[in-house]
Amino acid sequence: MKLVLERILVFGLYFLLITPLLFFKWSMYPMVTVKTFIFQVVVEILAAVYLYLVIFYKEYRPYWSYLSISLLALIAILTLSAFFGVDFKMSFWSLPERGTGVFIWLHLAAFFFMLQGVSHRLN
């Protein structure tokens, strides 16, 4: 079970690294929207797999570094600025053609911690 979940996680993380190469000319904003949507869906699926591995196997837990602490501080600051900003909905979700809201930053942070938690297993 552990090996299967680890392989699913590693395959998904490699797939996420090639999502910038995807192009869908039929969408309204072909350079951003579909790529962002695919990235978010795959990160959420992989986060469930990674959460299971973190809970039951200690070796998958991410380690704390200055970079990970800085990323969490950035997410906290972005979330606070979204709460105290003019339009919380716009700050949290952003526009489809931009994809730069707090929601995508949460997915990027999850992607970072999944990469960090699995990276020592790939050596």
Side-chain angles (χ1 to χ4, degrees):
M1 179 74 167
K2 174 182 162 183
L3 185 61
V4 172
L5 290 177
E6 181 181 339
R7 287 187 180 177
I8 290 171
L9 186 63
V10 170
F11 176 77
L13 291 173
Y14 279 127
F15 174 74
L16 286 174
L17 292 175
I18 64 165
T19 52
L21 302 176
L22 301 175
F23 182 78
F24 300 95
K25 65 180 179 179
W26 49 264
S27 68
M28 184 179 284
Y29 302 103
M31 301 302 287
V32 179
T33 52
V34 178
K35 294 177 193 182
T36 305
F37 180 71
I38 290 172
F39 178 80
Q40 290 172 348
V41 168
V42 174
V43 164
E44 290 170 5
I45 292 168
L46 293 178
V49 172
Y50 182 66
L51 190 61
Y52 178 84
L53 289 172
V54 164
I55 290 171
F56 292 107
Y57 304 103
K58 286 176 90 172
E59 63 264 19
Y60 291 98
R61 294 181 183 161
Y63 54 90
W64 297 106
S65 64
Y66 290 122
L67 183 60
S68 59
I69 293 169
S70 300
L71 179 63
L72 287 178
L74 174 67
I75 298 295
I77 291 169
L78 286 172
T79 305
L80 280 174
S81 67
F83 276 118
F84 295 113
V86 174
D87 187 7
F88 174 75
K89 184 181 86 167
M90 186 65 73
S91 298
F92 188 78
W93 296 107
S94 184
L95 297 173
E97 67 270 11
R98 299 283 308 261
T100 56
V102 175
F103 192 67
I104 188 69
W105 279 98
L106 292 171
H107 285 81
L108 290 170
F111 179 59
F112 171 78
F113 284 112
M114 286 187 286
L115 281 175
Q116 187 184 37
V118 175
S119 66
H120 70 281
R121 305 281 298 163
L122 298 177
N123 293 335

